[in-house]
Amino acid sequence: MTAAHPLLVTGGSGQVGGAVAALASRNGVAVVAPDRAECDLTDPAALRAFVGRGPWRAIVNCAAYTAVDRAESEAGLAHAINAEAPGILAELAAARDIPIVHVSTDYVFDGTKDAPYLESDPIAPLGVYGSTKAAGEAAVRQAAPGSHAIVRTAWVLSAGGANFLNTMLRLGEERDLVRVVADQHGSPTNAADLAEVLLAIVDRDAATGETWHAVNGGDASWYDLARHIFDRSAAAGRKTSRLEPITTQDYPTPAQRPANSRLATEKLRAGLGLTLRPWRDAVDAILDERLNSGEHR
């Protein structure tokens, strides 16, 4: 395949897929980024037909079922999108001799490790979402053993869509008190920074069967992140709420979440020379866009 062929970016209406498509376009790279209506990952025949429209330079699979709690009651749907579809995409990519870059998650781990997770650490997902994402990783490895890259990330944020940052901005205006979990830790990650990693792997022909971790630098609790968002919002003259730290036990959810979502990125730095900026800088870039846009929601 030549660079003239477009990238196929699944999940084009999501945070990561949208960021990949936007960055590729800015860089002059042809890209096709269908949304769910255009490319239904729950319909294998439709998925095969869409990919058959190629040729493609590469497939970047950013599509996922990410409703962590709802997945507990919609396991079949989550499995279709997170496990079966990636395997089909990898099979189709391998048949066409093109690479596939597949986005995965910290939820493949159980969060009990006392240090950031390495790519080589054993996985042990806690719930349906993590289990289906782990199955998707396995399907990609099996179908395209030497022409895939799996990129695990965590706590993805962007200026648009449903995510923690936008929820905090909304709740800060709507409520007098917001209670946020302070005993789960991870690395807030700007979708645009993750997009740079995914495209770099394509550009460097680095989809050679490796798994990588890609998150912004440093770590925080959800409370730390909320505190940063509220402080920046207040400095910009926006209304914010009083913020109270709570424990995971204080906020029960259908799905169990890993207490430690920290991902080690030394492999990414050593292997590809890529280092993502600190999370506060990455979050500030999103907040600058939101707080200066005049939008309150």
Side-chain angles (χ1 to χ4, degrees):
M1 289 290 175
T2 69
H5 294 131
L7 293 177
L8 173 57
V9 180
T10 59
S13 59
Q15 291 190 95
V16 179
V20 171
L23 180 59
S25 296
R26 287 198 301 272
N27 291 344
V29 176
V31 60
V32 174
D35 60 20
R36 186 177 302 173
E38 297 172 291
C39 182
D40 185 356
L41 272 69
T42 67
D43 184 340
L47 180 57
R48 292 178 184 278
F50 192 96
V51 176
R53 299 179 190 178
W56 313 104
R57 179 183 175 188
I59 297 174
V60 183
N61 182 35
C62 304
Y65 181 108
T66 58
V68 175
D69 289 323
R70 197 162 68 240
E72 295 298 310
S73 58
E74 294 184 347
L77 180 59
H79 192 268
I81 296 172
N82 291 344
E84 295 173 17
I88 293 171
L89 287 168
E91 171 199 325
L92 296 172
R96 288 159 177 75
D97 196 26
I98 61 172
I100 180 169
V101 181
H102 173 67
V103 179
S104 192
T105 174
D106 58 296
Y107 274 69
V108 300
F109 299 113
D110 64 11
T112 60
K113 187 179 179 180
D114 290 333
Y117 280 94
L118 303 172
E119 290 85 349
S120 57
D121 282 331
I123 62 173
L126 297 173
V128 170
Y129 170 66
S131 296
T132 58
K133 290 296 289 184
E137 289 188 7
V140 169
R141 292 189 184 101
Q142 180 176 355
S147 57
H148 75 267
I150 293 169
V151 181
R152 296 185 185 128
T153 191
W155 294 25
V156 177
L157 307 170
S158 65
N163 61 57
F164 183 84
L165 182 149
N166 291 325
T167 297
M168 287 299 106
L169 290 177
R170 175 175 58 81
L171 293 180
E173 295 181 341
E174 293 178 352
R175 299 183 182 179
D176 295 325
L177 172 65
V178 176
R179 305 169 78 225
V180 179
V181 170
D183 58 357
Q184 296 173 19
H185 293 81
S187 298
T189 301
N190 189 322
D193 293 356
L194 177 61
E196 291 185 2
V197 173
L198 301 176
L199 288 179
I201 291 172
V202 175
D203 291 341
R204 301 179 190 184
D205 296 322
T208 57
E210 295 289 337
T211 298
W212 309 90
H213 289 171
V215 291
N216 282 112
D219 62 80
S221 70
W222 288 115
Y223 174 82
D224 295 332
L225 176 55
R227 179 78 276 161
H228 185 77
I229 293 167
F230 276 26
D231 288 347
R232 282 293 317 277
S233 186
R238 299 290 183 88
K239 177 186 178 299
T240 59
S241 309
R242 184 164 61 89
L243 195 61
E244 179 181 302
I246 61 173
T247 68
T248 298
Q249 288 187 334
D250 293 327
Y251 189 72
T253 56
Q256 186 179 354
R257 285 154 168 78
N260 174 25
S261 286
R262 296 176 294 159
L263 300 178
T265 57
E266 287 81 5
K267 180 179 177 180
L268 188 72
R269 183 163 52 251
L272 296 178
L274 298 174
T275 301
L276 277 66
R277 57 185 162 172
W279 73 260
R280 287 180 177 82
D281 295 341
V283 170
D284 284 347
I286 301 170
L287 288 170
D288 287 344
E289 182 177 349
R290 281 298 317 273
L291 297 175
N292 296 329
S293 69
E295 296 180 13
H296 288 256
R297 303 280 176 182

